[in-house]
Amino acid sequence: MLQKSRFVRQLLKKARALVLCLAAFGSASSYAVDVSGVRFGQNGDTTRFVVDLSGDTQPKIFLLADPYRIVIDLPEVSWKGGGAVNTMGIVDGYRHGLFTDGMYRIVLDLKNPAVVANAFTLPASNGRERRYVVDIKPSNRSQFLAAVQSSKAQRSQYRTTVQSAPAVSNTRRKDGKHVIVLDPGHGGVDPGNLGVIGVHEKVITLKIARAIRDELKRTGRYEVHMTRNRDIFHKVRERFQIARRLNADLFISIHADSIRNSKVRGGSVYNLSEKASDREAERLAARENKSDLIAGVNLDVVEDDVSGILIELAQRETMNYSAQFAEILVGEMKGRVPTLQRAHRFANLGVLKAPDVPSVLLEAGYLTNRSNAQFLNSSRGQKLIAESTRRAIDKYFSTIVIQSR
Ligand SMILES: [Zn+2]
């Protein structure tokens, strides 16, 4: 069994090496452009979206269907636009944030199909800044789909934003350290859910991840990486690909949940499964898997890099490890941090799909419950979560993994 799994791992590594293609988006921006504000206006059936820019830049604009969205890509601007602005007309909502290094994205959600009737830049004049103006007119589905096609060329070309990790041999590392990859959920243009205390999930997940990282590093036993250490977006798939490139021993994706019932509180740990363990787990997977959609990722690009059979072989072993770690983590959380009664759950979560890296998703608690949200946002709460996680990782490597090697 051991030999077989080693063989599979080697094969997977080779397959991966063949297809790993890193093409960072553009080059790091040398622009120093500020966005000082955005606003919406309505004139007849045309909705106008205006972006105030401090400098010269050529935004890219394209459309994505299902749901209907307009995506505007800018170089890495600094957003000084203040608070949220009311949308108008056909625009239902908008969001913005860093999408990759060097690229800032604005996504407009549309109520109905529409076309971009006009998109142009007005030069600075009479004390007013340069403005990027987009006029949006209602259309029908077939016109929208045609516009999606014709705007394809504008889509930003990127594969992954993450710098190539140093190749790590699959044999035991010289320093004997286990590699842990922490994945703070959401980020950049995908804020995650907004808790009752007015702090976005993406902010809290980063704080928790940093606390876990510090706690693990203090032991001297782990090499710790984070998929992001600032407010930036990553595609779901990119997140676990980072762990694979680093040959991680463990991948932990960190989130904070939301639910209609504001009384519900407590953390839980998820493993990957085709079938959800319950209705709430199913709803959770639907929410968490939407991240790419929210950020305006073009989902018709398929990037398959290993064959199905290899994945299946490795996945069985990986899932076994993942489930054992989840059990241990739940055990360590109980009594230290608020935890759901049934805290080990299963759902079809895209971020847990690395075939060869044991992975769990930690839903640290509910942002819809005031005391739970305050706990997650406090350094005391983060410290307790970090301690539980560190204890679980210690236990996992000293018992489960040792026994099986
Ligand atoms: Zn989340």
Side-chain angles (χ1 to χ4, degrees):
M1 184 59 204
L2 185 64
Q3 275 191 339
K4 183 171 151 202
S5 70
R6 203 167 272 164
F7 172 70
V8 170
R9 276 167 196 273
Q10 273 166 8
L11 273 180
L12 277 168
K13 247 190 95 185
K14 277 186 192 144
R16 217 182 304 158
L18 277 173
V19 291
L20 256 190
C21 168
L22 295 168
F25 169 80
S27 54
S29 155
S30 54
Y31 290 98
V33 176
D34 295 342
V35 171
S36 57
V38 294
R39 62 193 166 274
F40 294 87
Q42 188 70 18
N43 184 4
D45 65 349
T46 304
T47 305
R48 175 165 281 194
F49 177 58
V50 181
V51 185
D52 295 319
L53 297 160
S54 70
D56 188 10
T57 173
Q58 286 298 321
K60 288 180 174 179
I61 185 165
F62 62 92
L63 282 74
L64 290 173
D66 306 319
Y68 302 116
R69 286 156 294 164
I70 294 175
V71 180
I72 300 162
D73 284 342
L74 300 159
E76 189 168 335
V77 297
S78 90
W79 191 276
K80 300 189 168 148
V85 170
N86 288 336
T87 58
M88 269 186 208
I90 199 152
V91 179
D92 202 21
Y94 77 103
R95 67 197 91 84
H96 59 88
L98 206 52
F99 186 74
T100 65
D101 279 313
M103 181 175 128
Y104 202 94
R105 174 165 286 187
I106 304 171
V107 182
L108 306 178
D109 297 315
L110 305 177
K111 289 175 190 157
N112 294 303
V115 287
V116 174
N118 250 320
F120 55 93
T121 308
L122 292 171
S125 64
N126 301 330
R128 295 183 72 181
E129 280 188 322
R130 179 181 292 272
R131 279 146 291 157
Y132 180 60
V133 179
V134 183
D135 285 336
I136 307 158
K137 262 183 172 337
S139 69
N140 55 42
R141 181 168 173 84
S142 62
Q143 281 173 334
F144 187 89
L145 294 179
V148 168
Q149 284 306 315
S150 64
S151 72
K152 236 178 187 168
Q154 283 282 312
R155 277 182 196 171
S156 310
Q157 294 303 310
Y158 61 89
R159 279 285 173 79
T160 172
T161 62
V162 185
Q163 293 303 304
S164 157
V168 182
S169 130
N170 220 8
T171 53
R172 234 169 222 295
R173 287 167 187 83
K174 266 185 249 132
D175 58 10
K177 288 185 182 178
H178 294 292
V179 176
I180 315 291
V181 173
L182 303 172
D183 172 45
H186 311 276
V189 67
D190 165 26
N193 65 71
L194 178 63
V196 281
I197 59 167
V199 184
H200 274 116
E201 184 181 359
K202 68 176 181 180
V203 176
I204 288 180
T205 60
L206 183 54
K207 286 184 183 173
I208 295 172
R210 283 177 178 154
I212 298 175
R213 175 200 60 192
D214 294 347
E215 176 80 20
L216 289 173
K217 282 201 160 168
R218 219 168 287 134
T219 68
R221 287 190 291 276
Y222 304 105
E223 183 186 318
V224 189
H225 298 269
M226 306 212 329
T227 55
R228 67 178 180 97
N229 195 12
R230 63 170 177 150
D231 187 14
I232 190 168
F233 172 78
H234 286 316
K235 287 191 287 180
V236 167
R237 195 184 166 81
E238 249 167 48
R239 294 174 182 269
F240 68 72
Q241 292 292 28
I242 293 170
R244 297 191 68 205
R245 281 200 289 276
L246 289 163
N247 266 308
D249 295 297
L250 198 55
F251 174 82
I252 305 175
S253 189
I254 299 149
H255 291 256
D257 211 350
S258 71
I259 193 168
R260 200 172 284 169
N261 180 353
S262 64
K263 290 202 178 93
V264 178
R265 64 201 296 267
S268 50
V269 183
Y270 279 81
N271 280 138
L272 177 68
S273 161
E274 287 284 321
K275 224 173 113 53
S277 52
D278 53 86
R279 291 262 299 282
E280 198 40 54
E282 203 173 320
R283 278 194 284 267
L284 171 113
R287 278 199 300 278
E288 298 293 10
N289 291 340
K290 252 200 291 198
S291 174
D292 285 356
L293 212 65
I294 285 167
V297 170
N298 164 32
L299 293 172
D300 55 34
V301 181
V302 182
E303 306 163 47
D304 252 342
D305 59 356
V306 275
S307 85
I309 291 166
L310 288 177
I311 286 181
E312 216 180 281
L313 279 171
Q315 217 151 33
R316 247 176 274 162
E317 188 195 48
T318 304
M319 283 167 93
N320 183 26
Y321 281 122
S322 305
Q324 300 202 60
F325 177 68
E327 273 298 317
I328 297 172
L329 181 52
V330 164
E332 293 298 329
M333 280 164 64
K334 292 222 159 150
R336 285 192 185 85
V337 302
T339 308
L340 288 178
Q341 195 90 44
R342 261 188 331 99
H344 183 188
R345 296 172 169 223
F346 296 84
N348 195 352
L349 289 154
V351 77
L352 299 180
K353 286 187 175 166
D356 46 1
V357 182
S359 307
V360 301
L361 186 139
L362 168 63
E363 286 287 349
Y366 284 90
L367 294 180
T368 36
N369 175 277
R370 185 164 293 275
S371 74
N372 208 176
Q374 279 161 348
F375 177 84
L376 298 177
N377 197 37
S378 70
S379 46
R380 181 182 153 267
Q382 288 148 19
K383 174 96 180 119
L384 287 169
I385 294 167
E387 274 172 23
S388 315
T389 310
R390 192 259 307 151
R391 295 173 74 105
I393 291 173
D394 282 347
K395 215 178 226 179
Y396 169 75
F397 284 112
S398 64
T399 55
I400 309 296
V401 178
I402 292 281
Q403 276 170 22
S404 58
R405 290 207 167 162

